[in-house]
């Protein structure tokens, strides 16, 4: 069965349904663009052919005083700002009839979609983005308003530059919060500390949000992170922003925006002056892949404005009488509305601003992939049960035989290259080589950020490699024997009988602690993971210990429940999952056991894999699925030939993969039922190292790399 191409996965403009208006003010309604809690957004066209996004308050809310007042305030706020950096309000009707706001039709991706598709912006482009946004914030503040909800999804990138949208919770500078204290509408990680605390938010709150937006644009990561909203908000109020992925030259310009003291943040005009983009940086919106996306969307938007008059209308005005349902057919070379809208939707890049609110054209069914570089999972009928499908690409003879497991970083898969074990990156889509670094690769690979890959050489050097180019950005002599773990700020190494924390930027040893010999048998077989401000260490000697990454001080320790030598613990949702003699979940912050299941076989549990609400681990010849929250068994399945106990399963898509013990190969099981989807034998034999990401599983066997599909 043929698999659909990305172009066939189009978006669709929804047709008008029962109760939808045919006309709002001067606009004939063409179709529905989207809907939310407050109302619907329609595509409209006036008598001159100009298209607009028309936002309408839901009828059931129109009579609620609070909602109608907010709707009026949104229209007034958007109209009050005279700036080319915001979505222009064309007209608004808030008294009598159906309240609506019509804004210009913006074509282009939001900032969050642009970063997802094309990766973090280079420094000149971040400067151009920041200067333009700061200039627009200055215009908003000059109108006496505070936006209060600046974030990547509220920034549309057009050929004329970034446009700020959504004035739904904008307020006059002197105004109080919209809701009661503690309930102010805040987007986690972008709302300023004073906004999180429910205090009055002025222009400095928008400056804080701008700083967080620029961190995201420059690094692809949020400045404040956490697995729960409360954790993110706590970090905003009490923690420090994560700036490790931001180019060094930009850190002193962005960091002041994120100062907790609102009075110490710079003014928008100061930000515009300090960022001072180079001349070519101002062309961000017209070049490269992003420029192509914007140009394609704008071309399609122009076609929308050239539709022939609707049946039964004259110059865009609805006709009445017996002839209202008929009209002359359009010229033969004139595009039909359906054809243009379908073609427009297929690209998936068109965004509109409806009353300031961004609405992507809605899909007919949920997306099958979250990012452009994700593969399409196999559907029923696209593979034969029990028989391994053809690889997406490979095998490619790309790595040295003993290369550690590959690392996937966004659209790259990184391994130790064939020649001199140099760090080498390949495209996840087709396996084509992207770059070869000077960094020698004899240690595991880690992604400190979307821009920085960290590994170590045979001489004990710590390398930081630019994920975009392969250039070595960091080179620090450490004398390490094992690179244990990496987070955004530091690398954690085993050096003789010490565990050391080495700062990625400076190479300075932040702290060093003796390896806990009583618990780790001399440090042999040690494995680790860094998460939530802790370094969690484990060994085959059934012990686990957590150290504070800032000081190296011990936070908690517990006997039993290790993952086995060389297989790091897994963290997810504020918990640590461990294998060994028991499969267990312990709370990350204090080590308190949440649940534990003793092993039924001598070799114990493998290292676990966590996906969604499930934990997967093997024991003997069985693969088992257990509930992540309570450890209850969901299913167990026997695997012919047994499962190699020294590794851990890889869960990707609706498959969980395990390495076979007695025969060279891997088995893939359906995560929903545990049934064996297929077994894949390896002719060359040898051990298998696996990594899963983006609806692919990458198999590295004897230096050969293969990308396999999932279901």
């Amino acid at each position: 069965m043929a698999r659909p191409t990305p172009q066939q996965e189009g978006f669709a403009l929804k047709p008008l349904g029962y109760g939808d208006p045919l006309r709002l003010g001067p606009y004939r309604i063409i179709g529905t663009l989207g809907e939310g809690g407050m109302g619907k957004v329609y595509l409209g066209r006036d008598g001159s052919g100009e298209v607009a996004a028309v936002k309408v308050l839901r009828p059931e809310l129109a009579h609620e005083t609070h909602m109608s007042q907010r709707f009026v305030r949104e229209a007034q706020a958007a109209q009050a700002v005279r700036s080319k950096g915001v979505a222009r309000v064309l007209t608004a009707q808030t008294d009598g009839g159906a309240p609506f706001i019509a804004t210009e039709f913006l074509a282009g991706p939001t900032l969050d979609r642009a970063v997802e598709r094309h990766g973090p912006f280079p420094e000149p482009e971040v400067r151009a983005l920041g200067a333009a946004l700061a200039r627009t914030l200055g215009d908003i503040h000059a109108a006496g308003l505070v936006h209060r909800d600046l974030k990547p999804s509220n920034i549309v990138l057009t050929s004329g530059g970034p446009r700020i949208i959504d004035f739904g919770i904008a307020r006059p500078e002197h105004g109080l919060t919209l809701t009661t204290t503690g309930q102010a509408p805040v987007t986690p990680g972008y709302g300023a500390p004073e906004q999180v605390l429910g205090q009055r938010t002025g222009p400095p709150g928008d400056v804080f949000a701008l700083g967080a937006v620029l961190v995201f644009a420059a690094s692809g990561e949020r400045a404040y992170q956490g697995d729960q909203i409360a954790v993110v908000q706590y970090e905003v109020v009490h923690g420090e922003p994560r700036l490790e992925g931001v180019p060094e030259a930009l850190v002193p310009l962005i960091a002041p925006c994120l100062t907790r003291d609102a009075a110490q943040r710079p003014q928008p005009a100061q930000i515009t002056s300090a960022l001072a983009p180079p001349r070519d940086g101002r062309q961000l919106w017209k070049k490269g892949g992003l420029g192509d996306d914007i140009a394609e969307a704008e071309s399609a938007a122009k076609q929308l404005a050239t539709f022939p008059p609707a049946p039964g209308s004259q110059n865009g005005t609805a006709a009445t009488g017996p002839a209202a349902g008929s009209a002359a057919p359009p010229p033969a070379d004139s595009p039909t509305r359906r054809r243009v809208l379908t073609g427009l939707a297929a690209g998936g890049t068109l965004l509109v601003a409806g009353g300031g609110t961004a609405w992507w054209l809605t899909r007919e069914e949920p997306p099958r992939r979250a990012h452009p570089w994700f593969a399409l999972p196999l559907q029923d009928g696209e593979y034969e049960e029990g028989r391994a499908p053809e690889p997406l690409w490979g095998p490619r003879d790309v790595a040295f035989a003993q290369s550690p497991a590959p690392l996937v970083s966004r659209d790259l898969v990184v391994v130790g290259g064939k020649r001199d074990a140099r760090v080498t990156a390949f495209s996840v889509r087709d396996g084509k080589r992207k770059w070869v670094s000077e960094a020698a690769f004899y240690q595991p690979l880690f992604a400190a950020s979307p821009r920085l890959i960290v590994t170590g050489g045979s001489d004990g050097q710590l390398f930081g490699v630019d994920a975009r180019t392969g250039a070595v950005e960091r080179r620090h002599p450490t004398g390490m024997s094992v690179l244990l773990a990496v987070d955004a700020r530091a690398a954690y190494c085993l050096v003789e009988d010490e565990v050391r924390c080495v700062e990625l930027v400076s190479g300075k040893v932040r702290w060093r602690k003796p390896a806990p010999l009583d618990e780790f048998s001399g440090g042999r077989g040690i494995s680790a993971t860094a998460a939530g401000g802790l370094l969690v260490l484990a060994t085959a000697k059934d012990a686990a210990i957590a150290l504070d990454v800032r000081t190296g001080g011990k936070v908690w320790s517990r006997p039993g429940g290790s993952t086995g030598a060389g297989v790091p613990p897994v963290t997810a949702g504020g918990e640590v999952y461990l294998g060994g003699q028991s499969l267990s979940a312990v709370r990350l912050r204090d080590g308190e056991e949440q649940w534990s299941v003793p092993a039924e076989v001598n070799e114990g549990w493998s290292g676990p894999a966590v996906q969604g609400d499930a934990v997967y681990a093997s024991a003997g010849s069985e693969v088992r699925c257990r509930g992540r929250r309570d450890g209850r068994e969901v299913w167990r399945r026997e695997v012919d030939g047994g499962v190699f106990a020294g590794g851990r399963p890889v869960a990707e898509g609706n498959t969980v993969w395990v390495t076979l013990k007695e025969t060279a190969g891997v088995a893939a099981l359906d995560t929903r039922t545990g049934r064996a989807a297929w077994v894949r034998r390896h002719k060359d034999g040898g051990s298998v190292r696996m990594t899963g990401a983006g609806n692919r599983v990458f198999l590295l066997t004897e230096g050969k790399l293969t990308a396999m599909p999932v279901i």
Side-chain angles (χ1 to χ4, degrees), residues 617-679:
S618 64
S621 61
E622 290 184 330
V623 179
R624 306 186 191 184
C625 172
R626 290 186 171 271
R628 177 176 148 192
R629 299 303 179 189
D630 54 17
R632 293 182 181 179
E633 186 171 284
V634 179
W635 53 256
R636 66 167 71 188
R637 289 293 183 272
E638 186 97 10
V639 176
D640 292 341
V643 181
F644 176 61
R648 93 157 129 240
V650 169
E652 185 64 25
N654 288 322
T655 54
V656 56
W657 299 61
V658 293
T659 304
L660 301 179
K661 181 178 181 181
E662 297 181 4
T663 59
V666 294
L669 285 66
D670 189 321
T671 58
R672 296 162 293 189
T673 62
R675 67 177 178 82
W678 59 74
V679 173

Side-chain angles (χ1 to χ4, degrees), residues 481-531:
S481 56
V482 180
L483 179 59
L484 295 171
V486 171
D487 61 21
R489 293 183 172 88
Y492 305 91
C493 313
L494 190 63
V495 183
E496 296 179 349
D497 60 349
E498 290 183 334
V499 177
R500 296 184 185 177
C501 171
V502 180
E503 294 181 352
L504 292 177
V505 174
S506 66
K508 177 182 177 182
V509 177
R510 184 187 301 168
W511 52 259
R512 60 182 72 194
K513 297 292 180 181
L517 302 181
D518 292 343
E519 300 175 20
F520 288 101
S521 183
R524 292 189 298 274
I526 203 170
S527 63
T529 190

Side-chain angles (χ1 to χ4, degrees), residues 71 92 113 213 232 259 282 299 311 331 349 398 411 434-435 442 455 509 524 654 683 701 709:
F71 195 75
R113 293 297 181 92
V213 164
V232 176
T259 301
R282 296 185 177 93
S299 176
T349 58
V398 298
D411 60 345
K434 305 293 287 187
W435 50 255
Y442 287 93
T455 188
V509 177
R524 292 189 298 274
N654 288 322
K683 297 179 181 179
T701 306

Side-chain angles (χ1 to χ4, degrees), residues 556-573:
W556 55 262
S557 63
R558 53 174 282 111
S562 85
T563 61
V567 182
V570 176
T571 60

